[in-house]
Structures are given as C-alpha cells and as structure tokens.
Amino acid sequence: MGFQITVSDEDLEAIRSLEFELDKDLHLINKSHETVLNKALEMVVQRQQLQVSKAELIPDMKATFTSNRRGEGGDGDVMVDLQLNVPLDGYRAERAQAAKDRLELMVLAVELAAIRSDLQRQLRRQYRVIVQFKHIVSLAGQRLESERQKLAARMQIYEKQGGDNLEVTRAKEAVDDAEVDLLDARIDLILEEAAYVALLPSKD
C-alpha cells in the first residue's frame, strides 16, 4: 500500500541552518577546548616539577659571622665564613632529574600543539562539509521551485484544454519528490552542523 508524504512550506522553513564563524571558533578551540585545557594543565604541573628540580641544584649555603674587638671602645673586625654544601657527585642525580623534567615539558608542549592542530583540521574540514551541504540545500530548493512552476503551468493547460491529466499527475509527483529531497538535504545539513558543534568546547 502506497502513501503520500506532504511537506508544507512551513515544515521546510522550520528547519533552518546555523551560521558559524570559523575564525572565532578556531580561536575558541585553541583556548578553551577540553583536551587543550587538560594538556595545558599537565604542562603547568610539569613546569612546577621542573622548578622544584632546578631548586634541588642550588647548593646549601651557611654563613657564620664573627666579631673581634680590640679593647673596650676600640675598633673590631667582622669576619664572615661562607660554607657551601656540594655533594661529591656534583648533583649528578639532580641534574639528570632536571633534564628529564625539561624533556617531559617539551614533549607536553609538542603534544599540545598537535592537539590544537588536529582540532583545527577537523573544524576546518567540517566547515567545508557544511558549506557543501548548504549548496546542496540551495540546489534542492531551486529544483522544488522549478517543479512547482512546471506543475502550475500543467494545471493551467489542463484547466483550459482538458483531456488526459497524466502530465498533471506526473508534475505533482515531481513536486513531491523535490519536497522530500529538499527535506532530506536540510536534515543532512543539520546532522553535519551538529558534528561541527560537537567539536566546539562545551558551555557547561
């Protein structure tokens, strides 16, 4: 059993596409995307660890002050004795740890840059897909308008001349097909727009 799908102009107009600002969104994901923030936080922690490792390389210093007076009311000498406590191995282990922490910080920086680059690539690609689907929607809309005009012309001919209404029936079917195609195109566009939005930082 067949059935007819009727799509009104109101139904089509209710499905509106979104407008995106690519440059603004690229800046947004570079700054606020969850994966970017997580990796940036790892860098903050690692940078703090590096500072701790560097502090371990500073030798302990002890200062001793002594004063000698020459008789009551006479001049005196003040002597300062500085002692540096340096391990026999010259902080070999500490230097190795600092170098390791520095390397890990560099690795995190590279990973952060890669994350941003990948997010930008995905967003640019999805933006191009949306542009393509908007073009498809536009073409589908033009086709629907054309088929409606053809139907109106067939109806006028039929009303004036009468006869077989087969051409009118076919014209109505063409309009129905064009309406469904436009609806499908707009739904596909919405799905691609949703995929774009999914790449943006959450607003929570």
Side-chain angles (χ1 to χ4, degrees):
M1 179 181 296
F3 60 91
Q4 183 179 7
I5 298 177
T6 301
V7 181
S8 66
D9 291 339
E10 289 76 13
D11 294 330
L12 295 175
E13 286 299 322
I15 306 176
R16 296 184 177 275
S17 63
L18 302 176
E19 296 297 330
F20 299 107
E21 299 180 53
L22 181 59
D23 291 339
K24 180 180 178 181
D25 291 337
L26 287 171
H27 176 74
L28 186 63
I29 63 174
N30 279 342
K31 181 180 179 182
S32 304
H33 195 275
E34 289 83 354
T35 54
V36 170
L37 293 177
N38 290 338
K39 187 60 64 173
L41 179 59
E42 288 185 49
M43 289 187 64
V44 170
V45 174
Q46 186 60 36
R47 190 175 289 111
Q48 293 174 344
Q49 178 60 44
L50 178 57
Q51 294 300 321
V52 172
S53 298
K54 287 182 177 180
E56 295 294 332
L57 294 174
I58 301 176
D60 294 334
M61 179 180 296
K62 181 179 180 181
T64 303
F65 296 87
T66 58
S67 175
N68 296 321
R69 287 181 177 274
R70 301 187 184 90
E72 187 174 348
D75 295 334
D77 297 327
V78 177
M79 301 180 63
V80 180
D81 181 26
L82 297 178
Q83 293 182 349
L84 294 178
N85 296 323
V86 179
L88 295 178
D89 64 356
Y91 292 104
R92 180 177 179 181
E94 288 78 1
R95 289 201 309 271
Q97 183 61 48
K100 179 182 177 183
D101 291 338
R102 188 179 297 108
L103 178 59
E104 290 181 359
L105 182 60
M106 293 172 61
V107 170
L108 289 174
V110 172
E111 291 176 349
L112 177 58
I115 288 172
R116 284 174 168 161
S117 177
D118 185 59
L119 287 171
Q120 289 181 22
R121 179 187 58 77
Q122 293 183 56
L123 198 67
R124 291 181 188 277
R125 175 190 173 281
Q126 196 60 35
Y127 185 85
R128 291 194 298 269
V129 170
I130 289 174
V131 171
Q132 293 173 355
F133 272 81
K134 283 185 176 182
H135 182 61
I136 293 174
V137 168
S138 177
L139 292 178
Q142 294 174 23
R143 179 195 168 204
L144 175 58
E145 182 60 29
S146 175
E147 296 299 343
R148 284 175 172 173
Q149 292 176 2
K150 291 179 182 179
L151 174 59
R154 294 294 182 186
M155 289 292 295
Q156 288 182 354
I157 295 175
Y158 178 74
E159 291 171 355
K160 290 180 180 180
Q161 301 178 0
D164 189 3
N165 67 346
L166 180 60
E167 294 299 325
V168 173
T169 301
R170 289 176 176 174
K172 288 182 178 179
E173 291 175 349
V175 170
D176 292 340
D177 291 342
E179 287 178 342
V180 172
D181 289 344
L182 177 56
L183 182 61
D184 288 343
R186 289 189 170 179
I187 291 175
D188 289 340
L189 175 59
I190 289 175
L191 294 176
E192 296 301 335
E193 290 174 339
Y196 182 98
V197 172
L199 292 171
L200 299 177
S202 63
K203 296 182 180 181
D204 297 337

